[in-house]
Amino acid sequence: MTVPLSILDLAHIGDGETAADSLRSSVAMAQAAEGWGYDRIWYAEHHNMPSIASSATSVLIAHVAAHTERIRLGAGGIMLPNHAPLTIAEQFGTLAELHPGRIDLGLGRAPGSDQKTMRALRRDPSSAESFPQDVLELQGYLTGPSRIPGIEATPGKGTDVPLYILGSSLFGAKLAAMLGLPYAFASHFAPNALHDAIAIYRREFRPSAQLSEPYVIAAANVIAADTQDEADRLFLDAKRKRVGLFVGRGRTFTPDEADLILESPAGQQVLQMVRYSAVGTPTVVRDYLDRFAEQTGADELMVVSSATDRAAWLRSLELLAQVSGLVTAG
């Protein structure tokens, strides 16, 4: 690979699994990924989603960090309008003090939930409007000086936890450029604005104390298997699973029903979400990701293994590491 490879772990709770099963698997995967040579793993804040176990993102990061040694860990991301900036500064400041040099903080402005859950979080519907100011307030707590006179984050102050702006639209690109922060685009599920957002970010970037040159992370779905047929089967299973999540809102469909929906307009929206997917043998996947990095100009790729089978999920990441030169096969 011509660029570093990292992982987004959605802490998926599979069929018949508990949240505890998912969290144990996240630890095992992080330990394996550390040995395979991946740069970092991020976890995303989602709420009221029975298939995702990373809602308490900072707690999960702390647990995984305590069971690994070197790999960087972070949020991809914390939905900042759900929280007071001081609280997040204290949480990630604590993580940085416990695991110096290993903690990242990606920030998004979406709720990470639906409107009903947003109310349960006590989030004001207009809170996203103050996202740029909240990012600056949070940055002040971590780097100093604080932008709120008389208020300091302890732990937090002086930890210089690196911030990343996450996005799937032009808003995040413009904000990351204006603040001189790295930009991570969620092209693994919201691909439409990818190229425009990156172009705007690079064109409008202003150097900052954290970053002197633009830095782009682009996400892509990955399923690598020993044969193309096996990879295609796993990808079809993943698309059928998305039909249940995004079309049926949790309703269970038979494989035949899911395939019919995939051919419908609603199904086409599901397929559009996974436009950037590397599926096949390890060499096919590596070559796809090399082209993707070249076409986007990304400085780093963050891969999401969309295989629904836990063993296939791990095998996919292992095969990619081997063929990309992160680790020798054996």
Side-chain angles (χ1 to χ4, degrees):
M1 288 295 302
T2 56
V3 298
L5 285 176
S6 298
I7 297 170
L8 177 63
D9 178 4
L10 296 176
H12 176 68
I13 303 173
D15 295 337
E17 289 186 339
T18 65
D21 294 329
S22 171
L23 298 174
R24 282 192 292 269
S25 295
S26 287
V27 171
M29 190 272 282
Q31 291 171 333
E34 185 170 69
W36 293 334
Y38 284 94
D39 274 46
R40 69 179 102 226
I41 303 172
W42 281 1
Y43 307 90
E45 176 188 349
H46 293 283
H47 299 283
N48 195 33
M49 296 186 70
S51 62
I52 295 179
S54 54
S55 54
T57 314
S58 58
V59 178
L60 176 55
I61 293 169
H63 182 65
V64 176
H67 289 81
T68 52
E69 296 179 0
R70 300 175 306 279
I71 195 165
R72 294 192 68 90
L73 301 165
I78 290 293
M79 300 299 107
L80 191 55
N82 292 344
H83 311 275
L86 177 61
T87 300
I88 298 303
E90 291 169 341
Q91 290 177 5
F92 280 79
T94 299
L95 289 169
E97 294 287 6
L98 291 170
H99 308 283
R102 296 182 58 200
I103 302 301
D104 301 326
L105 178 48
L107 301 169
R109 66 177 182 132
S113 60
D114 55 28
Q115 295 295 314
K116 185 176 180 180
T117 307
M118 187 175 71
R119 290 193 293 271
L121 289 166
R122 302 298 191 267
R123 171 174 170 167
D124 188 312
S126 65
S127 54
E129 297 174 8
S130 64
F131 180 65
Q133 292 76 27
D134 288 346
V135 172
L136 289 172
E137 181 182 337
L138 172 60
Q139 187 178 50
Y141 291 137
L142 294 171
T143 62
S146 171
R147 293 175 181 267
I148 309 298
I151 305 296
E152 304 284 358
T154 306
K157 182 179 180 180
T159 55
D160 296 328
V161 175
L163 302 184
Y164 297 73
I165 299 296
L166 277 58
S168 58
S169 69
L170 305 186
F171 177 90
K174 290 177 176 289
L175 180 62
M178 180 180 69
L179 299 181
L181 295 175
Y183 180 52
F185 193 91
S187 35
H188 63 295
F189 77 92
N192 290 342
L194 172 64
H195 294 282
D196 288 343
I198 291 176
I200 287 173
Y201 169 69
R202 291 196 180 279
R203 184 172 66 245
E204 299 184 6
F205 180 84
R206 303 175 185 173
S208 68
Q210 179 177 327
L211 195 64
S212 60
E213 299 287 340
Y215 192 88
V216 173
I217 301 174
N221 299 290
V222 164
I223 294 183
D226 294 301
T227 67
Q228 185 68 47
D229 286 345
E230 176 66 5
D232 290 339
R233 183 189 67 78
L234 292 167
F235 191 40
L236 179 57
D237 287 344
K239 289 183 286 189
R240 287 169 173 168
K241 186 73 172 180
R242 284 182 180 244
V243 167
L245 290 172
F246 296 107
V247 179
R249 300 297 179 183
R251 175 187 165 191
T252 300
F253 295 106
T254 67
D256 287 342
E257 288 172 335
D259 291 345
L260 284 173
I261 293 172
L262 284 171
E263 296 175 1
S264 71
Q268 292 304 304
Q269 293 180 354
V270 172
L271 296 177
Q272 174 70 9
M273 293 173 67
V274 293
R275 183 197 309 173
Y276 295 120
S277 296
V279 179
T281 60
T283 301
V284 168
V285 168
R286 181 200 60 201
D287 291 348
Y288 178 99
L289 293 176
D290 272 332
R291 290 193 304 272
F292 180 64
E294 182 179 357
Q295 291 164 1
T296 59
D299 301 288
E300 179 179 337
L301 297 184
M302 185 159 283
V303 298
V304 186
S305 178
S306 51
T308 57
D309 176 79
R310 188 73 69 189
W313 176 65
L314 276 172
R315 181 62 174 159
S316 184
L317 295 171
E318 181 182 19
L319 289 172
L320 176 58
Q322 290 175 356
V323 77
S324 300
L326 303 184
V327 66
T328 56

